[in-house]
Amino acid sequence: MGVPLHKETIKEGSKEYFHSLKSILEELEASQLIIEMKAYDAINSSDMLLNIIKEGFHSLEVLQSNEGKEIMKPILEAANISNQVSRDIEHEIANQREIIDVIKCKLKYNRAVNK
């Protein structure tokens, strides 16, 4: 026979469990907000890059001159920003996947304990 559990012990365990789960969900929510902001940055960066490229098509003569490298600097900068934002989004998606895995483990553990 197992040790009988008192109602207070079960109640405290449940409080801890749900507090932990709430904390994990808050972390996931914060991570989702970061992804939303990064996606917005990526879209803006891509739009900026497209606009610069469109302007470049109207200045092909200038690109062939010595000033062409000066015109290319904003394009390179926009491409680098877009690349970094994409990497940030990828990193945050990985964070969310880890948070979801933690939630799944907690839920599986809770089901096993409550059987």
Side-chain angles (χ1 to χ4, degrees), residues 18-33:
F18 285 108
H19 178 70
S20 174
L21 193 55
K22 181 183 176 211
S23 175
I24 292 167
L25 289 173
E26 287 170 353
E27 187 178 343
L28 179 59
E29 186 177 39
S31 177
Q32 288 174 329
L33 181 60

Side-chain angles (χ1 to χ4, degrees), residues 2-3 20 74 101 113:
V3 177
S20 174
D101 287 345
V113 168

Side-chain angles (χ1 to χ4, degrees), residues 27-108:
E27 187 178 343
L28 179 59
E29 186 177 39
S31 177
Q32 288 174 329
L33 181 60
I34 289 170
I35 283 190
E36 288 173 16
M37 291 186 309
K38 294 293 182 182
Y40 180 76
D41 289 346
I43 290 167
N44 284 339
S45 178
S46 295
D47 286 346
M48 184 173 85
L49 184 57
L50 287 173
N51 288 334
I52 291 170
I53 290 170
K54 286 177 188 175
E55 288 174 22
F57 284 128
H58 299 296
S59 307
L60 289 177
E61 313 81 48
V62 177
L63 288 174
Q64 292 173 352
S65 72
N66 290 337
E67 297 173 14
K69 283 184 177 176
E70 288 303 315
I71 290 176
M72 294 302 288
K73 282 183 181 179
I75 295 172
L76 182 58
E77 183 180 333
N80 284 330
I81 291 169
S82 183
N83 185 275
Q84 185 57 51
V85 168
S86 297
R87 289 179 186 276
D88 292 345
I89 290 171
E90 180 185 32
H91 174 75
E92 204 57 42
I93 289 170
N95 280 345
Q96 285 188 355
R97 189 171 313 278
E98 288 178 18
I99 293 167
I100 290 168
D101 287 345
V102 169
I103 291 170
K104 287 178 182 178
C105 286
K106 292 247 181 211
L107 291 173
K108 285 179 185 176

Side-chain angles (χ1 to χ4, degrees), residues 7-25:
K7 286 184 182 180
E8 278 303 309
T9 305
I10 294 172
K11 188 176 177 181
E12 287 302 312
S14 292
K15 277 184 184 179
E16 276 184 46
Y17 174 77
F18 285 108
H19 178 70
S20 174
L21 193 55
K22 181 183 176 211
S23 175
I24 292 167
L25 289 173

Side-chain angles (χ1 to χ4, degrees), residues 1-6:
M1 283 182 130
V3 177
L5 293 175
H6 298 317

